[in-house]
Every structure is written in C-alpha cells, then in structure tokens.
Amino acid sequence: MNQMTSETLMPDKAAGPGNSVSTEETHDLISSDKVDGTAVYSTDGEKLGHVDHLMIGKRSGQVKYAVMSFGGFLGLGESYHPIPWDALDYDTQRDGYVVAIDKAKLHDAPYYTGDSPPVFDANFGAGLYRYYGVFY
Amino acid sequence: MNQMTSETLMPDKAAGPGNSVSTEETHDLISSDKVDGTAVYSTDGEKLGHVDHLMIGKRSGQVKYAVMSFGGFLGLGESYHPIPWDALDYDTQRDGYVVAIDKAKLHDAPYYTGDSPPVFDANFGAGLYRYYGVFY
C-alpha cells in the first residue's frame, strides 16, 4: 500500500500551469459531513437559513434535494424545507446557495417538521419540482 | 405556509399504479448525514470497510469520490481511501457498495491518514481515476 505523497497525489503537478484550475476544483468540492450549515440566501441576498442535509441518489451519486432548515424563520420551530437541487444556484463569493424563488413563494413552500419526514418518492418529487418550477 | 400532507406530498398517489416505482425511488435516496457507515464490499462479497464521507461537487451536486475507511483492514489505524464514484457499484440486495477492483489492487491504492488529508484537486483526481481505471 502506498501512502499518498505529493508525487502519488499530484502526478502532473510538476507540469506547472493549471494550478489555479486545481485550486478551483478543490474549492468546488464539499464533504458530506461538512454540508450541514451551508448558508442559503434569497435572490436579494438575505440569509434565509442553512442546508441541514442533502438527499443523494445511492446509485447515481446525484444530489436530488437539499433539505433546508430555517430555524426561527417565520416563527416556526425546527422545520425542514426540501428544495429541488435544480432550484438552487451556488454562489462562489458567499460560499452558499441561492434559492431562485421569491420569499412569498418560499413562505408557502411545502415543509415538514422533525417528527414527520415525508416519503421521498416519485410523486413527492414531481409535486415539489412543479412547485419550484424546475424540471423533474 | 403549507405543512406537508399526503395530498401536498403525493398529489398523484390516488392515480394508483406506480406505487412500486415510488417505493423504489424512496429507497434509492440516502441522506448525506446517514451515508457514514454504508458498507463496501469486494467483488467476491467480502466486506472491506465502510463509507466515511462523500466528496460532492458544490455546484453540480454530483458525488465525485466516496472516501472509505477500512479501520483494522491491513493492520492500519484509521485510514481513508478516496474511491472515484464511477469505480463503485451500488448493490441493492446488500444495500452497500462494491468496488470493482481486486483486493491486491485495492491494497496498493492511494490512501491517507486522518492528520494528512490530500488536496482534492484536478491532478489528484486524474491520478486516482487512472489508478482505478475509470474515466476522469
């Protein structure tokens, strides 16, 4: 077994150009155990809440929903808003996500509380994607 | 704000057929905070270790690496093996992943220990994908 060294990790690093690209890619990945807490903003830059967890396809490895927690937002206790992945844009400057719907519509979006998670099935997904106006 | 009900969650459930599809999709998703501990098997069915965390594209939402922990495997302490996502197959019966390389090659695969994580940059990725024989 070879423990990773700079040589085994970055076989082409000596080639020189491309380091900035490498840095970007590094910053473009996030660990599944660090995603909790990533900020979510409205389109006008207001911080709305944070990502609690992601729902990921076991086979595809594709994130399908980001489940957001809004905490005190709207005067509720702990509530979870599943957002279709395609309804989120990643903002590199803020290192957070932006929901491309207005606050009133987010206010009316489906949510659940900690003791009653939904069944994330096809009908659920289709309804949610329809609500957020993205293709299922 | 509408708390989710069976009606808002599954608007088309009453349609009847398709429930088995819905169930499959539910089982096909995993939460990012539950992925830690998912078993990883060799192609001959031996349990090798488990997923410690996933490295996910912040923008794409696509899992790029599963970082595995093998624990006592090979007599090492806590060690982490990043595996290209495309080198893993999901086994529905075992509800775990299968690494499509033989044990000797896995033995020689790049790894790191807890105190020296690699930089997950483009060169790192290219080298690792090459090692596992999958397209980067």
Side-chain angles (χ1 to χ4, degrees):
Chain A
M1 178 182 282
N2 298 317
Q3 183 155 10
M4 288 173 169
T5 64
S6 58
E7 195 177 353
T8 58
L9 285 177
M10 294 165 280
D12 304 316
K13 191 163 181 94
N19 285 353
S20 62
V21 174
S22 303
T23 304
E24 279 178 35
E25 175 159 336
T26 299
H27 294 164
D28 198 39
L29 295 175
I30 188 166
S31 170
S32 57
D33 58 8
K34 300 265 167 56
V35 76
D36 181 2
T38 302
V40 180
Y41 300 93
S42 67
T43 47
D44 64 4
E46 184 184 0
K47 184 176 174 181
L48 297 173
H50 63 271
V51 175
D52 184 80
H53 62 278
L54 305 174
M55 295 298 287
I56 307 167
K58 290 181 185 176
R59 188 175 284 98
S60 66
Q62 177 63 49
V63 175
K64 196 135 187 183
Y65 310 101
V67 180
M68 299 171 55
S69 174
F70 289 91
F73 179 67
L74 307 175
L76 294 164
E78 197 169 23
S79 64
Y80 301 98
H81 292 238
I83 315 276
W85 183 255
D86 293 340
L88 293 167
D89 286 321
Y90 179 67
D91 183 326
T92 50
Q93 291 204 299
R94 291 195 181 94
D95 197 22
Y97 291 95
V98 175
V99 187
I101 61 171
D102 65 33
K103 199 170 176 178
K105 189 156 185 178
L106 187 62
H107 179 287
D108 289 334
Y111 76 99
Y112 64 95
T113 53
D115 54 354
S116 58
V119 176
F120 283 85
D121 61 11
N123 288 315
F124 164 73
L128 199 66
Y129 271 67
R130 199 183 306 129
Y131 184 87
Y132 282 90
V134 288
F135 181 74
Y136 181 65
Chain B
M1 175 182 285
N2 299 317
Q3 183 154 9
M4 289 171 169
T5 63
S6 59
E7 195 178 354
T8 58
L9 285 176
M10 293 165 281
D12 305 315
K13 194 163 178 92
N19 284 354
S20 62
V21 173
S22 304
T23 303
E24 278 178 35
E25 175 160 335
T26 299
H27 294 162
D28 199 40
L29 295 174
I30 188 167
S31 169
S32 57
D33 59 8
K34 299 266 168 57
V35 75
D36 180 1
T38 302
V40 180
Y41 300 93
S42 67
T43 46
D44 63 4
E46 183 185 3
K47 184 176 173 181
L48 297 172
H50 63 272
V51 175
D52 185 79
H53 62 279
L54 304 175
M55 294 298 288
I56 306 168
K58 289 180 185 176
R59 187 173 284 101
S60 67
Q62 177 63 48
V63 174
K64 196 137 188 184
Y65 310 101
V67 180
M68 299 170 56
S69 173
F70 290 90
F73 179 68
L74 307 174
L76 294 165
E78 198 169 24
S79 63
Y80 301 97
H81 292 239
I83 315 278
W85 183 256
D86 293 339
L88 292 168
D89 286 320
Y90 179 65
D91 183 326
T92 50
Q93 291 205 299
R94 291 196 183 93
D95 198 22
Y97 291 95
V98 174
V99 188
I101 62 171
D102 64 35
K103 199 170 176 179
K105 190 156 185 179
L106 187 62
H107 179 287
D108 289 334
Y111 75 99
Y112 64 95
T113 53
D115 55 352
S116 57
V119 178
F120 283 85
D121 61 11
N123 289 316
F124 164 72
L128 199 66
Y129 271 66
R130 199 183 305 127
Y131 185 87
Y132 281 90
V134 287
F135 181 72
Y136 180 65

Coordinates of all heavy atoms in Angstrom, one line a residue, chain B residues 33-97:
Chain B
D33 N -26.4 12.8 5.9 CA -26.0 12.6 7.3 C -26.2 11.2 7.7 O -26.0 10.8 8.9 CB -26.7 13.6 8.2 CG -28.2 13.5 8.2 OD1 -28.7 12.6 7.5 OD2 -28.8 14.4 8.8
K34 N -26.5 10.3 6.7 CA -26.7 8.9 7.1 C -25.7 8.0 6.2 O -25.7 6.8 6.4 CB -28.1 8.4 6.7 CG -29.2 9.2 7.5 CD -29.6 8.4 8.7 CE -30.5 9.2 9.7 NZ -31.7 9.7 9.1
V35 N -25.0 8.6 5.4 CA -24.1 7.9 4.5 C -22.9 7.2 5.2 O -22.4 6.2 4.8 CB -23.6 8.8 3.3 CG1 -22.5 9.7 3.7 CG2 -23.2 7.9 2.1
D36 N -22.5 7.9 6.3 CA -21.4 7.3 7.1 C -21.8 6.0 7.6 O -22.8 5.8 8.3 CB -21.1 8.3 8.2 CG -19.9 7.8 9.1 OD1 -19.3 6.8 8.8 OD2 -19.6 8.5 10.1
G37 N -21.0 5.0 7.2 CA -21.2 3.6 7.7 C -21.8 2.7 6.7 O -21.8 1.5 6.9
T38 N -22.1 3.2 5.5 CA -22.6 2.3 4.4 C -21.5 1.3 4.0 O -20.3 1.7 3.8 CB -23.0 3.1 3.2 OG1 -24.0 4.1 3.5 CG2 -23.5 2.2 2.1
A39 N -21.8 0.1 4.0 CA -20.8 -1.0 3.8 C -20.2 -1.0 2.4 O -20.9 -0.6 1.4 CB -21.4 -2.4 4.1
V40 N -19.0 -1.4 2.3 CA -18.3 -1.5 1.0 C -17.8 -2.9 0.9 O -17.1 -3.4 1.8 CB -17.2 -0.5 0.8 CG1 -16.5 -0.7 -0.6 CG2 -17.7 0.9 0.9
Y41 N -18.1 -3.6 -0.2 CA -17.7 -5.0 -0.4 C -16.7 -5.1 -1.6 O -16.7 -4.3 -2.5 CB -19.0 -5.8 -0.7 CG -20.0 -5.8 0.4 CD1 -21.0 -4.9 0.4 CD2 -19.9 -6.7 1.4 CE1 -22.0 -4.9 1.4 CE2 -20.9 -6.7 2.5 CZ -21.9 -5.8 2.4 OH -22.8 -5.8 3.4
S42 N -16.0 -6.2 -1.5 CA -15.2 -6.6 -2.7 C -16.1 -7.3 -3.7 O -17.2 -7.6 -3.4 CB -14.0 -7.5 -2.3 OG -14.6 -8.8 -1.9
T43 N -15.6 -7.5 -4.9 CA -16.4 -8.1 -5.9 C -16.8 -9.6 -5.6 O -17.8 -10.1 -6.0 CB -15.7 -8.2 -7.3 OG1 -14.4 -8.6 -7.1 CG2 -15.7 -6.8 -7.9
D44 N -16.0 -10.2 -4.7 CA -16.4 -11.6 -4.2 C -17.3 -11.6 -3.0 O -17.5 -12.6 -2.4 CB -15.1 -12.4 -4.1 CG -14.2 -11.9 -3.0 OD1 -14.6 -10.9 -2.3 OD2 -13.1 -12.5 -2.8
G45 N -17.7 -10.4 -2.6 CA -18.7 -10.3 -1.5 C -18.1 -10.1 -0.1 O -18.9 -10.1 0.9
E46 N -16.8 -10.0 0.0 CA -16.2 -9.8 1.3 C -16.4 -8.3 1.7 O -16.2 -7.4 0.9 CB -14.7 -10.1 1.2 CG -14.0 -9.9 2.6 CD -12.5 -10.1 2.4 OE1 -12.0 -10.3 1.3 OE2 -11.8 -10.1 3.5
K47 N -16.8 -8.1 3.0 CA -16.9 -6.7 3.4 C -15.5 -6.2 3.7 O -14.8 -6.7 4.5 CB -17.8 -6.7 4.7 CG -18.0 -5.2 5.2 CD -18.9 -5.1 6.4 CE -18.9 -3.6 6.8 NZ -19.8 -3.4 8.0
L48 N -15.2 -5.0 3.1 CA -13.9 -4.5 3.2 C -13.8 -3.3 4.2 O -12.8 -3.1 4.8 CB -13.5 -3.9 1.8 CG -13.3 -5.0 0.7 CD1 -13.1 -4.3 -0.6 CD2 -12.2 -5.9 1.0
G49 N -14.9 -2.6 4.3 CA -14.9 -1.4 5.1 C -16.2 -0.7 4.9 O -17.3 -1.3 4.5
H50 N -16.2 0.6 5.1 CA -17.4 1.4 5.0 C -17.1 2.8 4.5 O -16.0 3.3 4.6 CB -18.2 1.5 6.3 CG -17.4 2.2 7.4 ND1 -16.5 1.5 8.2 CD2 -17.3 3.5 7.8 CE1 -16.0 2.4 9.1 NE2 -16.5 3.6 8.8
V51 N -18.2 3.5 4.0 CA -18.0 4.8 3.5 C -17.9 5.7 4.8 O -18.7 5.6 5.7 CB -19.3 5.3 2.7 CG1 -19.2 6.7 2.3 CG2 -19.4 4.4 1.4
D52 N -16.9 6.6 4.8 CA -16.8 7.6 5.9 C -17.5 8.9 5.5 O -18.2 9.4 6.3 CB -15.3 7.8 6.1 CG -15.1 8.8 7.3 OD1 -15.2 8.3 8.5 OD2 -14.9 10.0 7.1
H53 N -17.2 9.3 4.3 CA -18.0 10.5 3.8 C -17.8 10.6 2.3 O -17.1 9.8 1.7 CB -17.4 11.8 4.4 CG -16.0 12.1 4.1 ND1 -14.9 11.5 4.8 CD2 -15.4 12.9 3.2 CE1 -13.8 12.0 4.3 NE2 -14.0 12.8 3.3
L54 N -18.6 11.4 1.7 CA -18.6 11.6 0.2 C -18.0 13.0 -0.1 O -18.2 14.0 0.7 CB -20.0 11.5 -0.4 CG -20.8 10.3 -0.1 CD1 -22.2 10.4 -0.6 CD2 -20.1 9.0 -0.7
M55 N -17.3 13.1 -1.2 CA -16.9 14.5 -1.7 C -17.8 14.8 -2.9 O -17.9 14.1 -3.9 CB -15.5 14.4 -2.1 CG -14.5 14.1 -1.0 SD -14.5 15.4 0.3 CE -13.7 16.8 -0.5
I56 N -18.6 15.9 -2.7 CA -19.6 16.3 -3.6 C -19.3 17.6 -4.3 O -18.9 18.6 -3.7 CB -21.0 16.4 -2.8 CG1 -21.2 15.2 -2.0 CG2 -22.1 16.8 -3.7 CD1 -22.4 15.4 -1.0
G57 N -19.6 17.7 -5.6 CA -19.5 19.0 -6.3 C -20.5 20.0 -5.8 O -21.7 19.7 -5.8
K58 N -20.0 21.1 -5.3 CA -20.9 22.1 -4.7 C -21.9 22.6 -5.7 O -23.0 23.0 -5.4 CB -20.1 23.3 -4.2 CG -19.3 23.1 -2.9 CD -18.5 24.3 -2.5 CE -17.6 24.1 -1.4 NZ -16.8 25.3 -1.1
R59 N -21.4 22.8 -7.0 CA -22.3 23.4 -8.0 C -23.1 22.3 -8.7 O -24.3 22.4 -8.9 CB -21.4 24.1 -9.0 CG -22.2 24.9 -10.1 CD -21.3 25.7 -10.9 NE -20.9 26.9 -10.3 CZ -19.6 27.1 -9.7 NH1 -18.8 26.1 -9.8 NH2 -19.3 28.2 -9.1
S60 N -22.4 21.2 -9.1 CA -23.1 20.1 -9.8 C -24.0 19.2 -9.0 O -24.9 18.7 -9.5 CB -22.0 19.2 -10.5 OG -21.3 18.5 -9.5
G61 N -23.7 19.1 -7.7 CA -24.4 18.2 -6.8 C -24.1 16.7 -7.1 O -24.8 15.8 -6.7
Q62 N -23.0 16.5 -7.8 CA -22.6 15.2 -8.2 C -21.5 14.7 -7.3 O -20.5 15.3 -7.1 CB -22.1 15.1 -9.7 CG -21.6 13.8 -10.1 CD -22.7 12.7 -10.1 OE1 -23.8 12.9 -10.6 NE2 -22.4 11.5 -9.5
V63 N -21.7 13.5 -6.7 CA -20.6 12.9 -5.9 C -19.4 12.5 -6.8 O -19.6 11.9 -7.8 CB -21.1 11.6 -5.2 CG1 -20.0 10.9 -4.4 CG2 -22.3 11.9 -4.2
K64 N -18.3 12.9 -6.4 CA -17.1 12.6 -7.2 C -16.2 11.5 -6.5 O -15.6 10.7 -7.3 CB -16.2 13.9 -7.3 CG -15.2 13.8 -8.4 CD -15.2 15.1 -9.3 CE -14.3 14.9 -10.5 NZ -14.1 16.1 -11.3
Y65 N -16.1 11.5 -5.2 CA -15.4 10.5 -4.5 C -16.2 10.0 -3.3 O -16.9 10.8 -2.6 CB -14.1 11.0 -4.0 CG -13.2 11.7 -5.0 CD1 -13.2 13.1 -5.0 CD2 -12.5 11.0 -5.9 CE1 -12.4 13.8 -6.0 CE2 -11.7 11.7 -6.9 CZ -11.7 13.1 -6.9 OH -11.0 13.8 -7.8
A66 N -16.1 8.7 -3.1 CA -16.5 8.1 -1.8 C -15.2 7.9 -1.0 O -14.3 7.2 -1.5 CB -17.3 6.8 -2.0
V67 N -15.1 8.5 0.2 CA -13.9 8.2 1.0 C -14.2 7.1 1.9 O -15.1 7.3 2.8 CB -13.5 9.5 1.7 CG1 -12.2 9.3 2.5 CG2 -13.2 10.6 0.7
M68 N -13.5 6.0 1.8 CA -13.8 4.8 2.6 C -12.8 4.7 3.8 O -11.6 5.1 3.7 CB -13.6 3.6 1.7 CG -14.6 3.6 0.5 SD -14.2 2.3 -0.6 CE -14.3 0.9 0.5
S69 N -13.3 4.2 4.8 CA -12.5 3.9 6.0 C -12.4 2.4 6.1 O -13.4 1.7 6.0 CB -13.1 4.5 7.2 OG -12.3 4.1 8.3
F70 N -11.2 1.8 6.2 CA -11.1 0.4 6.3 C -10.8 -0.1 7.7 O -10.6 -1.2 8.0 CB -10.0 -0.1 5.3 CG -10.4 0.0 3.9 CD1 -10.1 1.2 3.2 CD2 -11.1 -1.0 3.3 CE1 -10.5 1.3 1.9 CE2 -11.5 -0.9 2.0 CZ -11.2 0.3 1.3
G71 N -10.6 0.9 8.6 CA -10.4 0.5 10.0 C -9.2 -0.4 10.2 O -8.1 -0.1 9.7
G72 N -9.4 -1.6 10.7 CA -8.3 -2.5 11.0 C -7.8 -3.2 9.8 O -6.7 -3.8 9.9
F73 N -8.5 -3.1 8.7 CA -8.0 -3.7 7.4 C -6.6 -3.4 7.1 O -6.1 -2.3 7.2 CB -8.9 -3.2 6.3 CG -8.6 -3.7 4.9 CD1 -8.8 -5.0 4.6 CD2 -8.1 -2.9 3.9 CE1 -8.6 -5.5 3.3 CE2 -7.8 -3.3 2.6 CZ -8.1 -4.7 2.3
L74 N -5.8 -4.4 6.9 CA -4.4 -4.3 6.6 C -3.5 -3.9 7.8 O -2.4 -3.5 7.6 CB -4.1 -3.3 5.4 CG -4.9 -3.5 4.2 CD1 -4.7 -2.3 3.2 CD2 -4.5 -4.8 3.5
G75 N -4.1 -4.0 9.0 CA -3.3 -3.7 10.2 C -3.0 -2.2 10.4 O -2.2 -1.9 11.2
L76 N -3.7 -1.4 9.6 CA -3.5 0.1 9.8 C -4.5 0.6 10.8 O -5.5 0.0 11.2 CB -3.7 0.8 8.5 CG -2.8 0.5 7.4 CD1 -3.3 0.9 6.1 CD2 -1.4 1.1 7.7
G77 N -4.2 1.8 11.3 CA -5.2 2.5 12.1 C -6.2 3.1 11.3 O -6.6 2.5 10.3
E78 N -6.7 4.3 11.6 CA -7.7 5.0 10.8 C -7.1 5.5 9.5 O -6.3 6.4 9.5 CB -8.3 6.1 11.6 CG -9.6 6.6 11.1 CD -10.3 7.5 12.1 OE1 -9.6 8.2 12.9 OE2 -11.5 7.6 12.1
S79 N -7.5 4.9 8.4 CA -7.0 5.3 7.1 C -8.2 5.5 6.2 O -9.2 4.9 6.3 CB -6.0 4.3 6.5 OG -6.7 3.1 6.3
Y80 N -8.0 6.4 5.2 CA -9.0 6.8 4.3 C -8.6 6.6 2.9 O -7.6 7.1 2.4 CB -9.4 8.3 4.5 CG -9.8 8.6 5.9 CD1 -8.9 9.1 6.9 CD2 -11.1 8.3 6.4 CE1 -9.3 9.3 8.2 CE2 -11.5 8.5 7.7 CZ -10.6 9.0 8.6 OH -11.0 9.2 9.9
H81 N -9.5 5.9 2.1 CA -9.2 5.6 0.7 C -10.3 6.3 -0.1 O -11.4 5.9 -0.2 CB -9.4 4.1 0.5 CG -8.3 3.3 1.1 ND1 -7.5 2.5 0.3 CD2 -7.9 3.1 2.4 CE1 -6.6 1.8 1.1 NE2 -6.9 2.2 2.4
P82 N -9.9 7.4 -0.8 CA -10.8 8.0 -1.8 C -11.0 7.1 -3.0 O -10.0 6.7 -3.6 CB -10.1 9.3 -2.1 CG -8.8 9.4 -1.4 CD -8.5 8.0 -0.9
I83 N -12.2 6.8 -3.3 CA -12.5 6.0 -4.4 C -13.3 6.8 -5.4 O -14.3 7.4 -5.0 CB -13.4 4.7 -4.0 CG1 -12.9 4.1 -2.8 CG2 -13.5 3.7 -5.2 CD1 -11.7 3.1 -2.9
P84 N -12.9 6.8 -6.7 CA -13.8 7.5 -7.7 C -15.2 6.9 -7.7 O -15.4 5.7 -7.6 CB -13.1 7.2 -9.0 CG -11.7 6.8 -8.7 CD -11.8 6.1 -7.3
W85 N -16.2 7.8 -7.7 CA -17.5 7.4 -7.7 C -17.8 6.3 -8.8 O -18.5 5.3 -8.5 CB -18.5 8.5 -7.8 CG -19.9 8.1 -7.7 CD1 -20.8 8.0 -8.7 CD2 -20.6 7.7 -6.5 NE1 -22.0 7.5 -8.2 CE2 -21.9 7.4 -6.9 CE3 -20.2 7.6 -5.2 CZ2 -22.8 6.9 -5.9 CZ3 -21.1 7.2 -4.2 CH2 -22.4 6.9 -4.6
D86 N -17.2 6.5 -9.9 CA -17.5 5.6 -11.1 C -16.9 4.2 -10.9 O -17.1 3.3 -11.7 CB -17.0 6.2 -12.4 CG -17.8 7.5 -12.8 OD1 -19.0 7.6 -12.3 OD2 -17.3 8.3 -13.5
A87 N -16.0 4.1 -9.9 CA -15.5 2.8 -9.6 C -16.3 2.0 -8.6 O -16.0 0.8 -8.3 CB -14.0 2.9 -9.1
L88 N -17.4 2.5 -8.2 CA -18.3 1.9 -7.2 C -19.6 1.5 -7.9 O -20.2 2.3 -8.6 CB -18.6 2.8 -6.0 CG -17.4 3.1 -5.1 CD1 -17.8 4.3 -4.2 CD2 -17.0 1.9 -4.3
D89 N -20.1 0.3 -7.6 CA -21.4 -0.1 -8.0 C -22.3 -0.2 -6.7 O -21.8 -0.7 -5.7 CB -21.4 -1.5 -8.7 CG -20.8 -1.4 -10.1 OD1 -21.1 -0.4 -10.8 OD2 -20.0 -2.2 -10.5
Y90 N -23.5 0.1 -6.9 CA -24.4 0.0 -5.7 C -25.1 -1.3 -5.8 O -25.7 -1.7 -6.8 CB -25.5 1.1 -5.7 CG -26.4 1.0 -4.6 CD1 -26.0 1.1 -3.3 CD2 -27.8 0.7 -4.8 CE1 -26.8 1.0 -2.2 CE2 -28.6 0.6 -3.7 CZ -28.2 0.7 -2.4 OH -29.0 0.6 -1.4
D91 N -25.1 -2.1 -4.7 CA -25.7 -3.4 -4.6 C -27.0 -3.3 -3.8 O -27.0 -3.1 -2.6 CB -24.7 -4.4 -3.9 CG -25.3 -5.8 -3.9 OD1 -26.5 -6.0 -3.7 OD2 -24.4 -6.7 -3.9
T92 N -28.1 -3.4 -4.5 CA -29.4 -3.2 -3.8 C -29.7 -4.2 -2.8 O -30.3 -3.9 -1.7 CB -30.6 -3.2 -4.8 OG1 -30.5 -4.3 -5.6 CG2 -30.6 -1.9 -5.7
Q93 N -29.3 -5.4 -3.0 CA -29.6 -6.5 -2.1 C -28.8 -6.3 -0.8 O -29.4 -6.5 0.3 CB -29.2 -7.9 -2.7 CG -30.1 -8.3 -3.8 CD -30.2 -9.8 -4.0 OE1 -29.1 -10.4 -4.3 NE2 -31.3 -10.4 -3.8
R94 N -27.6 -5.9 -0.9 CA -26.8 -5.7 0.4 C -26.9 -4.3 0.9 O -26.5 -4.0 2.0 CB -25.3 -6.0 0.1 CG -24.9 -7.4 -0.2 CD -23.4 -7.5 -0.1 NE -22.9 -8.9 -0.4 CZ -22.5 -9.3 -1.6 NH1 -22.5 -8.4 -2.6 NH2 -22.1 -10.5 -1.8
D95 N -27.5 -3.4 0.1 CA -27.6 -2.0 0.5 C -26.3 -1.4 0.8 O -26.0 -0.8 1.8 CB -28.6 -1.8 1.7 CG -29.1 -0.4 1.8 OD1 -29.0 0.4 0.8 OD2 -29.4 0.0 2.9
G96 N -25.3 -1.8 -0.1 CA -23.9 -1.3 0.1 C -23.3 -1.2 -1.3 O -23.9 -1.4 -2.3
Y97 N -22.0 -0.8 -1.2 CA -21.3 -0.6 -2.5 C -20.3 -1.7 -2.7 O -19.8 -2.3 -1.8 CB -20.6 0.8 -2.5 CG -21.6 1.9 -2.5 CD1 -22.0 2.5 -1.4 CD2 -22.1 2.3 -3.8 CE1 -23.0 3.5 -1.4 CE2 -23.0 3.3 -3.8 CZ -23.5 3.9 -2.7 OH -24.4 4.9 -2.7

